[in-house]
């Protein structure tokens, strides 16, 4: 059995040969002029180490009896398969601004050929791959290694997931592996435009998690490495900040099998919905927590979250002197204006700030200038969060009457809270009633255009 | 801190007698830091016993609950003497504040001084 991955342009060539009693592999990696490719270089070093281990095991074969030979071969193949899987672990792609990845991999008892990869395609584009090789053991591991090298090689040379899969398909067909193949899902995420182009080559369709809803991402396309015309269809979706993508292989679903016969996939879906709003690492951890300690099959989870960018976070502490309000306004309002908040939004935030800060100074801290009022603000992509707290006893916001009621209409005071509620998108108090947290959605926010 | 140091932040109170009414022109940012000064000035003006008051809010850029409180104090003082208070010419953001607090039910709001004066006859 020989597997080769090569491409015609800048030559990178990887060769594995495997026979019943003889396993060895070699690789050549002549780098193209585009310069260093650290991930391929790292693979080369790791495979070199593995090759030395195989050589050591092969040496033991020479002096062994028949029964012992079989045991050594079994052990060798298992070791190699495991090590291939481990040593080809993905190279973390480095920082992509505003994007966070989380991944888990647990090899199954049978050593399948599941793998994932995160491939830096360009400074703003990252490829996400999840694949599942049919079969188990060394054969699956070798195909996995070959396919992974092919993906990594072609990812930087082809511009679309369809083209990358087609080239990988061709490379595997051209190799002499014969009959073995894999399912794969490959997507390219543009970290600036937030577009996601993807092809599903008969793999498990990943989910888009948006505001608690799950949408499977599927396309037409046959296994990789089996057909001349695999018919890959490419789709593209526009992502938003706060979206998450959840990629996985079949092995994961088994962890959700129910004794009551309920559909295991729906168990996974429920778990995803329940945890959809958690940060992506925690989401992945919770789902992975359902996987058996020693699963029968390989389990792969690869998730990504498009973080809400927090451009600005400030804490301002002022003594309880009303004129300090200016300092708060002069810090916060220009920052909002620079972010594109318009006249009406600025008016709204100024109003809410004045009402909450003056209330904290006069009523919360009773104008005691030794007590502080603390204002925190976070300026995110789609909203601004303000919190104002004082050192006072707090009050019960439920007990404040509606100033618009006839009996209160002529009052000289008592309108602050109503104004805050009218002008901000949310106003919430802590239990004690000495901290108020308010949010104002950005004018361009799709859910509520307030400009 | 010098709250009055920037002109756009200074709250102004100007008065003018027009026909039977006293027009009080408020201007600038009537926030909590300015409200007391505005209130004191209104007290002075109203001491003369005017009972037909028109607040021209055309130049008011900001007004929160403290500013509204001062207008309500003036309203009450005038009402006690059997007079009436009108609001004219508020900019959209200020008109919205009056609407949100439902004060536009209590204080009649007119788009122009002429219309308010006509109604006062």
């Amino acid at each position: 059995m020989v597997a080769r991955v090569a491409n015609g342009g800048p030559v990178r060539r990887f060769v594995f040969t495997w026979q019943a009693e003889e396993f060895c592999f070699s690789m050549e990696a002549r780098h193209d002029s585009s310069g260093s490719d650290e991930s391929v270089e790292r693979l080369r070093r790791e495979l070199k180490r593995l090759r030395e281990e195989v050589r050591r095991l092969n040496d033991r074969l020479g002096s062994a009896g028949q029964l012992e030979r079989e045991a050594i071969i079994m052990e060798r193949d298992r070791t190699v398969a495991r090590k291939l899987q481990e040593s080809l672990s993905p190279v973390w792609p480095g920082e992509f601004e505003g994007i966070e990845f989380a991944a888990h991999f647990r090899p199954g008892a049978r050593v399948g050929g599941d793998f994932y990869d995160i491939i830096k395609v360009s400074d703003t584009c990252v490829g996400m791959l999840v694949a599942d090789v049919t079969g188990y053991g060394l054969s699956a591991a070798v195909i996995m290694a070959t396919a992974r090298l092919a993906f990594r090689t072609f990812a930087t040379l082809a511009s679309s997931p369809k083209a990358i899969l087609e080239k990988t398909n061709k490379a595997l067909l051209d190799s002499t592996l014969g009959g073995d193949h894999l399912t794969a899902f490959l997507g390219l995420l543009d970290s600036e435009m937030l577009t996601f182009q993807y092809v599903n080559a008969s793999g498990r369709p990943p989910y888009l998690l948006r505001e608690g809803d799950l949408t499977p991402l599927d396309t037409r396309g046959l296994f990789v490495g089996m057909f001349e015309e695999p018919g890959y269809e490419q789709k593209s979706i526009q992502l938003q900040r706060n979206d998450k993508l959840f990629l996985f292989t079949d092995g994961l679903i088994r962890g959700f099998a129910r004794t009551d016969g309920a559909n295991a996939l729906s168990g996974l879906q429920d778990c995803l919905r329940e945890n959809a709003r958690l940060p992506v690492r925690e989401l992945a951890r919770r789902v992975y927590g359902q996987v058996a300690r020693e699963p029968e099959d390989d389990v792969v989870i690869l998730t990504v979250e498009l973080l809400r960018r927090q451009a600005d976070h400030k804490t301002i502490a002022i003594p309880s002197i009303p004129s300090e309000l200016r300092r708060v306004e002069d810090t916060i309002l220009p920052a909002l204006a620079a972010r594109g908040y318009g006249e009406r939004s600025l008016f709204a935030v100024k109003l809410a700030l004045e009402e909450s800060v003056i209330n904290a100074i006069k009523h919360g801290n009773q104008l005691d200038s030794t007590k502080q009022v603390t204002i925190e603000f976070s300026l995110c992509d789609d909203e601004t969060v303000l919190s104002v707290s004082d050192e006072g006893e707090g009050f019960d916001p439920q007990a404040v009457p509606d100033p618009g009621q006839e009996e209160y209409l002529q009052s000289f005071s008592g309108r602050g809270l109503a104004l805050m509620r009218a002008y901000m998108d949310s106003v919430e108090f802590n239990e004690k009633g000495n901290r108020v947290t308010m949010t104002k959605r950005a004018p361009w926010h799709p859910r509520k255009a307030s400009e | 801190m010098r709250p009055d140091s920037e002109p756009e932040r200074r709250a102004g109170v100007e008065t003018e007698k027009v026909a039977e009414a006293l027009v009080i022109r408020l201007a600038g940012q009537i926030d909590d830091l300015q409200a007391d000064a505005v209130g004191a000035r209104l007290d002075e003006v109203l001491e003369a016993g005017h009972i037909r008051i028109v607040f021209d809010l055309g130049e008011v850029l900001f007004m929160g609950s403290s500013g509204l409180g001062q207008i309500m104090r003036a309203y009450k003082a005038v009402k006690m003497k059997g007079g009436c208070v009108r609001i004219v010419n508020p900019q959209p953001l200020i008109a919205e504040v009056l609407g949100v607090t439902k004060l536009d039910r209590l204080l009649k709001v007119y788009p122009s001084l002429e219309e308010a004066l006509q109604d006062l006859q």
Side-chain angles (χ1 to χ4, degrees):
Chain A
M1 175 190 238
V2 181
R4 281 195 184 84
V5 181
N7 64 300
V11 178
R12 294 199 186 91
R13 209 168 109 97
F14 308 102
V15 181
F16 295 86
T17 59
W18 174 52
Q19 286 152 359
E21 291 202 357
E22 194 180 319
F23 177 85
C24 62
F25 54 85
S26 62
M27 55 189 303
E28 298 166 36
R30 265 186 286 159
H31 285 202
D32 59 299
S33 56
S34 70
S36 67
D37 185 338
E38 282 177 36
S39 69
V40 172
E41 185 54 35
R42 201 189 67 135
L43 278 175
R44 205 182 62 78
R45 285 198 304 271
E46 286 178 356
L47 287 177
K48 192 177 168 200
R49 274 199 293 277
L50 182 54
R51 188 166 57 188
E52 280 156 11
E53 184 153 351
V54 170
R55 186 178 296 141
R56 189 179 56 79
L57 284 163
N58 283 347
D59 287 347
R60 278 176 58 198
L61 277 179
S63 55
Q66 184 57 36
L67 271 176
E68 200 190 350
R69 285 172 71 88
E70 281 172 21
I72 290 173
I73 288 169
M74 258 178 73
E75 186 205 329
R76 181 200 65 188
D77 289 1
R78 251 184 97 80
T79 305
V80 170
R82 268 274 154 75
K83 292 250 169 174
L84 265 181
Q85 244 179 359
E86 288 166 9
S87 67
L88 291 170
S89 62
V91 181
W92 219 239
E95 291 293 312
F96 276 88
E97 198 194 336
I99 294 180
E100 183 146 332
F101 296 99
H104 290 277
F105 170 73
R106 186 171 288 173
R110 291 193 282 178
V111 189
D114 287 14
F115 65 98
Y116 72 93
D117 215 340
I118 306 173
I119 307 158
K120 185 171 178 171
V121 176
S122 73
D123 283 345
T124 59
C125 184
V126 63
M128 299 171 65
L129 172 74
V130 164
D132 182 352
V133 178
T134 58
Y136 299 94
L138 187 54
S139 159
V142 169
I143 291 161
M144 181 272 290
T146 312
R148 191 200 292 270
L149 291 170
F151 277 119
R152 279 194 196 168
T153 305
F154 298 131
T156 52
L157 300 169
S159 57
S160 71
K162 185 169 184 279
I164 295 167
L165 273 172
E166 282 168 351
K167 281 173 185 285
T168 304
N169 182 59
K170 182 82 165 52
L172 291 187
L173 273 177
D174 289 348
S175 75
T176 51
L177 296 167
D180 293 296
H181 56 272
L182 62 146
T183 67
F185 178 95
L186 176 66
L188 296 189
L189 173 62
D190 187 311
S191 65
E192 281 184 351
M193 305 302 292
L194 303 187
T195 51
F196 188 65
Q197 296 177 294
Y198 59 95
V199 174
N200 190 17
S202 298
R204 187 52 78 172
Y207 291 108
L208 164 67
L209 281 68
R210 179 177 292 171
E211 290 170 14
D213 290 333
L214 301 188
T215 310
L217 304 180
D218 204 2
T219 69
R220 279 186 291 110
L222 299 169
F223 304 119
V224 184
M226 206 165 182
F227 305 98
E228 290 285 350
E229 300 287 341
Y232 298 133
E233 175 195 19
Q234 180 171 305
K235 288 184 183 172
S236 178
I237 50 165
Q238 180 64 50
L239 299 176
Q240 302 169 3
R241 293 279 161 198
N242 283 0
D243 281 353
K244 297 185 184 83
L245 297 169
F246 187 89
L247 287 66
F248 60 105
T249 56
D250 273 339
L252 176 65
I253 299 172
R254 293 199 175 82
F256 290 87
R258 301 279 169 80
T259 46
D260 63 6
N263 187 328
L265 184 60
S266 71
L268 170 63
Q269 291 168 341
D270 289 345
C271 182
L272 287 173
R273 280 194 198 94
E274 279 165 29
N275 298 298
R277 289 175 197 279
L278 292 173
V280 70
R281 279 169 199 272
E282 186 59 20
L283 168 76
R285 202 183 64 77
R286 296 258 175 116
V287 176
Y288 189 62
Q290 300 288 318
V291 175
R293 193 165 293 279
E294 287 175 351
E296 197 174 332
D297 274 340
D298 295 349
V299 173
V300 165
I301 296 174
L302 173 58
T303 60
V304 65
E305 177 176 5
L306 278 66
L307 300 173
R308 215 164 58 179
R309 262 182 292 208
Q310 217 170 69
D312 225 336
H313 182 96
K314 280 203 174 83
T315 303
I316 311 161
I318 57 168
S320 298
I321 302 168
S323 60
E324 289 286 304
L325 173 65
R326 290 278 183 258
R327 192 150 65 87
V328 178
E329 289 180 345
D330 290 349
T331 307
I332 294 175
L333 297 177
L336 264 63
R339 242 25 224 325
Y341 278 65
E343 190 189 8
R344 193 178 177 281
S345 295
L346 291 173
F347 184 92
V349 172
K350 180 178 163 67
L351 193 60
L353 263 182
E354 166 166 338
E355 302 300 344
S356 55
V357 172
I358 294 295
N359 182 67
I361 290 173
K362 291 185 176 173
H363 302 292
N365 288 346
Q366 304 280 321
L367 287 165
D368 178 347
S369 62
T370 63
K371 289 183 176 170
Q372 285 198 323
V373 172
T374 306
I375 299 98
E376 284 184 73
F377 92 106
S378 300
L379 199 49
C380 305
D381 263 3
D382 53 0
E383 67 181 13
T384 295
V385 183
L386 295 164
S387 92
V388 177
S389 53
D390 59 59
E391 299 179 53
E393 294 306 310
F395 75 108
D396 177 8
Q398 309 283 351
V400 178
D402 173 6
Q405 284 179 307
E406 207 59 44
E407 53 193 303
Y408 299 109
L409 210 50
Q410 299 196 24
S411 300
F412 301 161
S413 60
R415 296 184 178 86
L417 185 55
L419 284 168
M420 285 154 60
R421 289 209 163 111
Y423 279 87
M424 300 299 271
D425 291 302
S426 74
V427 176
E428 281 166 29
F429 288 85
N430 64 345
E431 203 174 327
K432 190 177 175 189
N434 69 341
R435 186 180 70 236
V436 60
T437 302
M438 305 173 281
T439 60
K440 183 72 186 167
R441 293 202 191 104
W444 51 86
H445 192 283
R447 272 180 294 176
K448 183 170 181 179
S450 50
E451 282 295 302
Chain B
M1 280 294 134
R2 295 160 300 154
D4 294 333
S5 60
E6 292 165 60
E8 76 272 15
R9 281 183 174 165
R10 197 176 301 135
V13 183
E14 306 280 339
T15 61
E16 184 189 355
K17 195 86 172 52
V18 180
E20 296 295 302
L22 181 74
V23 179
I24 302 175
R25 293 201 169 83
L26 301 182
Q29 311 250 4
I30 306 180
D31 59 17
D32 187 79
L33 306 184
Q34 305 281 345
D36 286 349
V38 169
R41 180 83 182 102
L42 290 178
D43 288 347
E44 260 174 56
V45 169
L46 295 176
E47 240 167 52
H50 299 281
I51 56 162
R52 287 177 179 170
I53 303 294
V54 178
F55 279 107
D56 183 341
L57 303 184
E59 300 294 318
V60 173
L61 303 173
F62 177 86
M63 181 151 35
S65 63
S66 306
L68 294 173
Q70 295 304 335
I71 287 186
M72 288 316 297
R73 280 183 64 237
Y75 170 83
K76 207 154 196 175
V78 172
K79 269 284 183 193
M80 291 205 2
K81 292 180 210 156
C84 61
V85 174
R86 303 282 186 259
I87 304 277
V88 300
N89 206 19
Q91 295 188 17
L93 290 170
I94 303 301
E96 199 179 340
V97 170
L98 295 170
V100 161
T101 52
K102 301 199 170 75
L103 287 181
D104 56 357
R105 288 187 191 169
L106 206 64
L107 309 159
K108 283 186 123 183
V109 180
Y110 298 84
S112 72
L113 180 60
E114 291 68 34
E115 286 163 86
L117 290 176
Q118 216 162 36
D119 208 32
L120 275 175
Q121 297 305 313

